[in-house]
Amino acid sequence: MNEVNYLAAQITERYGTVKRARGCFLYTAKGVRLTDLYQEAGRAILGWGGTSAFTVLKNVLSRGITGSFDTDFTPRADSSAKNPLARAVSELLAGERNVFVFSSKQSALKLALEIAPQGTSVFRPWSENVRWSEIDAVIIEPPLAWTQGIWILAVRPELPCVVESVRLAAPLCAAVTRSIYNLIAALQNRSEKDWFIYDTVLAKYWTRKGPYLFPKIAKERYADFVLHCLDCGVVISPVYDQPSIVPFGADRGVFAQLKKNPFLLAESVESIESADSTESVKKN
């Protein structure tokens, strides 16, 4: 069982299935509200449910245009014509881009490195000191929680690139496009003031860069830390190399249990073991 499936199983075992999700919170069958710092590895960084992207999805879905034909919402397979998704991505990166859609990060990355071996990067919102407009090929995860099979490659139009995109159904493509515009708005509205307020608790366990939390916990103890946080009502990234994310909009009280029940760091464990060893020697 991989880390994500294991985390899902542990949530169900402790709290029952997730019945509703909104913002950075998961509401479970046993009536417990969990604070989500995993946020679907960043796909849910704008929150769960209640976004305009879902409204757009439903509106376009109601038109019945879910087939494999061209629509006003979908990119042409050969990117021969501009479309709303390409315009949204171009605005996000502050420069004209051709856009291609892939079903995996590996496929997008492979092509990007063929096109621009020295100028390829994966987009991460709120990255400091990165001028995305100057990067030749950018791989983007749509900030839409249930689009794990969609990866966008944005390439400067002057670079040669002949490849067919994955064809998205119009409702899904329209929702992805709206999520990009939502991200553009969030980039202007969220800043350091929204993240540092949790440092009094989180800085003990993570190094924070913007909204991203990189664990200070030793890798061999990280799985125990994931479960400890879950017992404290906090869902963190189950993958050591995938940062957790500060829960935008949550009250600081969501970390009360973690503050009252701190996880023993490596040095604390060593101190306890050393004390136990000393006491044992005295008794002998």
Side-chain angles (χ1 to χ4, degrees):
M1 184 182 295
N2 67 29
E3 295 99 324
V4 176
N5 289 339
Y6 179 71
L7 175 63
Q10 290 300 312
I11 291 173
T12 302
E13 181 179 313
R14 287 165 168 77
Y15 304 111
T17 56
V18 175
K19 294 294 187 180
R20 187 165 66 91
R22 184 170 294 274
C24 61
F25 298 112
L26 307 176
Y27 299 84
T28 70
K30 293 184 179 180
V32 176
R33 187 185 73 173
L34 303 175
T35 304
D36 181 19
L37 276 65
Y38 175 46
Q39 297 177 22
E40 212 69 1
R43 295 268 180 170
I45 197 168
L46 298 183
W48 291 97
T51 68
S52 60
F54 286 91
T55 302
V56 169
L57 173 77
K58 291 186 288 186
N59 289 344
V60 178
L61 185 62
S62 69
R63 303 184 189 187
I65 47 174
T66 58
S68 55
F69 33 71
D70 291 334
T71 73
D72 292 337
F73 303 97
T74 49
R76 304 290 173 85
D78 59 0
S79 294
S80 60
K82 279 297 174 188
N83 57 83
L85 179 58
R87 288 194 288 270
V89 170
S90 296
E91 184 173 336
L92 175 67
L93 301 179
E96 195 73 13
R97 298 282 172 156
N98 287 335
V99 166
F100 305 89
V101 180
F102 293 85
S103 59
S104 72
K105 182 179 181 180
Q106 292 76 14
S107 299
L109 184 59
K110 180 180 178 181
L111 179 61
L113 291 174
E114 290 175 0
I115 299 169
Q118 305 301 320
T120 290
S121 185
V122 177
F123 184 83
R124 176 173 282 173
W126 295 281
S127 294
E128 296 181 357
N129 304 318
V130 179
R131 297 178 65 88
W132 295 107
S133 61
E134 298 177 358
I135 298 176
D136 293 331
V138 181
I139 298 168
I140 301 170
E141 291 182 87
L144 198 57
W146 37 272
T147 56
Q148 289 88 344
I150 298 175
W151 293 83
I152 298 169
L153 174 60
V155 182
R156 287 178 180 275
E158 62 269 20
L159 295 176
C161 184
V162 181
V163 63
E164 286 193 357
S165 284
V166 169
R167 183 178 287 276
L168 298 178
L172 181 55
C173 190
V176 168
T177 300
R178 172 51 58 187
S179 75
I180 297 294
Y181 283 118
N182 289 344
L183 177 58
I184 292 170
L187 288 170
Q188 308 304 315
N189 295 330
R190 302 185 188 183
S191 62
E192 179 67 15
K193 64 179 173 57
D194 300 302
W195 304 316
F196 84 90
I197 58 175
Y198 309 98
D199 284 354
T200 53
V201 176
L202 301 183
K204 180 178 181 180
Y205 305 111
W206 287 277
T207 297
R208 183 177 60 79
K209 297 181 180 179
Y212 302 103
L213 302 169
F214 297 87
K216 294 179 179 179
I217 309 297
K219 190 170 186 178
E220 59 270 18
R221 301 195 64 224
Y222 188 70
D224 293 334
F225 180 56
V226 171
L227 296 182
H228 179 84
C229 288
L230 188 56
D231 288 334
C232 293
V234 178
V235 180
I236 69 171
S237 172
V239 181
Y240 186 81
D241 297 320
Q242 173 68 50
S244 296
I245 299 171
V246 173
F248 177 78
D251 184 270
R252 282 175 286 186
V254 298
F255 297 114
Q257 290 188 57
L258 182 58
K259 190 173 182 179
K260 292 177 182 177
N261 302 283
F263 182 74
L264 291 179
L265 301 175
E267 56 268 25
S268 300
V269 173
E270 291 172 359
S271 297
I272 293 173
E273 290 176 347
S274 176
D276 289 345
S277 177
T278 301
E279 186 65 23
S280 177
V281 169
K282 288 180 179 179
K283 289 180 179 179
N284 293 333

